[in-house]
Amino acid sequence: MLSASSRANRFWWDGNADEYQVEHGDFLRDSGFIWCPEGVDEAEAHLLGDVAGKDVLEIGCGAAQCARWLSGQGARVAAFDISHRQLRHSQRLDLDTGLRVPVVQADAESLPFAPASFDLACSAFGALPFVAEPLRVLLEVRRVLRPGGLFVFSVSHPIRWAFPDDPGERGLTSDRSYFDRTPYEERDDEGTPTYVEHHRTMGDWVSLVVASGLTVRGLLEPEWPRGHDRVWGGWSPLRGHHLPGTAIFTCSA
C-alpha cells in the first residue's frame, strides 16, 4: 500500500508531467543525463564510471531521459517511476528517438526487482525527496545491488530548506530553521495531501546511507557554472553563486 506521501506525489506528477516535460524537456534532452539544475552532465562528470555492459537501474526516472542515455552508452538499463503519465512520456521519447527503455510503474519503497540484479543504480532527483521513509528506499537499493555495486543520487541541497524557494533576492534570506524537518505539503480543499516534499539535513542523509548498509564514497556540491542563466524553480544564477542547490552522493554496496 502506498504511503500518504507516495500517493500524493503519484497524483501530483500524473497531473503535472505534461507541463514539466514541456518546460524542462529541452534542458534534459530526449537522451541525456543531467544530474541537477546546475547542469552537471554525466557525459562529462563520469560519476557512474564506465557503464558499458553494466546492469543499471534508474530510480524515479520520469521520462527516462537518463536511462535512455545510459542505454546509448552500452548499459543494460531498467527504469521505473511512480507516475504513469511520466512513463507515457518515456514511451513517446522511445518512438521519437528509436531508443526503447524498459520501464515499469513502481514505488521506490518496494522495488519489483530480484536481489543482486544490478551493478549500478542512479537517481537524479527521483523518489528520495518525496518519500516519508527514505531508509526503506536505500535498503531496497542495497538489496537489488550486487556486492560492490554503486548508487549515485542527487537531491536538493539541505541548506536550501532554510531559504524561501524563490530565485530572486528574497531567496537569499533565511526564513526558517535548517533543522526544522516539517515536510512541505500542499493540500486540496478536503485537506488531503496533493504534494509532499521532505527535508533531511546533510547529517540525516549520511546517517540514512550508513544505516542502510551502503558506504558514502563521495559528495559533490556543484557550483553554479559561468554562463548558465537558466532559472529552474528556486534555482537561479543569483542564488547559485551564493548557495549550493544540489547534493550528489556516491555510495557503494
Side-chain angles (χ1 to χ4, degrees), residues 1-29:
M1 180 180 295
L2 292 177
S3 68
S5 291
S6 295
R7 186 164 53 250
N9 287 313
R10 181 184 67 182
F11 288 120
W12 191 92
W13 282 106
D14 279 348
N16 289 273
D18 294 357
E19 180 181 349
Y20 178 87
Q21 294 299 332
V22 168
E23 183 176 359
H24 302 298
D26 288 345
F27 180 67
L28 297 174
R29 305 195 306 271

Side-chain angles (χ1 to χ4, degrees), residues 2-253:
L2 292 177
S3 68
S5 291
S6 295
R7 186 164 53 250
N9 287 313
R10 181 184 67 182
F11 288 120
W12 191 92
W13 282 106
D14 279 348
N16 289 273
D18 294 357
E19 180 181 349
Y20 178 87
Q21 294 299 332
V22 168
E23 183 176 359
H24 302 298
D26 288 345
F27 180 67
L28 297 174
R29 305 195 306 271
D30 292 352
S31 176
F33 199 135
I34 303 299
W35 281 105
C36 54
E38 290 88 348
V40 176
D41 193 329
E42 177 60 17
E44 300 172 353
H46 304 295
L47 298 178
L48 295 171
D50 183 5
V51 301
K54 301 286 183 66
D55 294 308
V56 185
L57 174 65
E58 185 183 4
I59 295 165
C61 66
Q65 288 97 334
C66 298
R68 196 166 288 104
W69 181 86
L70 289 165
S71 180
Q73 304 305 303
R76 295 182 294 272
V77 183
F80 74 89
D81 199 273
I82 199 169
S83 166
H84 179 263
R85 188 60 184 172
Q86 286 280 50
L87 297 180
R88 292 288 289 171
H89 282 284
S90 178
Q91 292 177 325
R92 170 180 60 81
L93 294 182
D94 286 347
L95 295 174
D96 290 346
T97 64
L99 295 171
R100 181 182 177 277
V101 175
V103 296
V104 64
Q105 185 176 15
D107 182 5
E109 295 181 65
S110 181
L111 300 183
F113 303 101
S117 296
F118 299 98
D119 302 301
L120 301 168
C122 58
S123 183
F125 280 83
L128 281 164
F130 307 106
V131 296
E133 301 291 342
L135 180 57
R136 292 177 60 179
V137 178
L138 293 169
L139 286 169
E140 281 289 87
V141 172
R142 183 173 181 272
R143 179 182 66 82
V144 302
L145 279 177
R146 294 171 182 139
L150 204 64
F151 177 39
V152 184
F153 68 93
S154 61
V155 293
S156 294
H157 196 287
I159 195 62
R160 292 186 74 244
W161 195 259
F163 295 82
D165 195 30
D166 187 320
E169 293 282 349
R170 178 172 168 267
L172 296 178
T173 302
S174 174
D175 65 354
R176 72 204 74 181
S177 171
Y178 169 77
F179 300 102
D180 182 359
R181 295 167 177 83
T182 305
Y184 170 77
E185 294 185 348
E186 297 175 5
R187 294 176 176 267
D188 61 19
D189 294 339
E190 286 72 42
T192 302
T194 57
Y195 179 90
V196 183
E197 190 167 345
H198 296 269
H199 167 56
R200 281 98 196 179
T201 67
M202 191 67 79
D204 290 341
W205 279 118
V206 172
S207 296
L208 287 162
V209 170
V210 172
S212 73
L214 296 167
T215 300
V216 177
R217 298 295 184 188
L219 171 61
L220 176 62
E221 299 170 293
E223 294 187 45
W224 195 270
R226 292 182 180 180
H228 181 41
D229 59 1
R230 179 183 178 85
V231 174
W232 181 321
W235 280 266
S236 68
L238 173 66
R239 293 187 75 195
H241 290 307
H242 291 275
L243 299 167
T246 300
I248 308 177
F249 291 85
T250 298
C251 314
S252 64

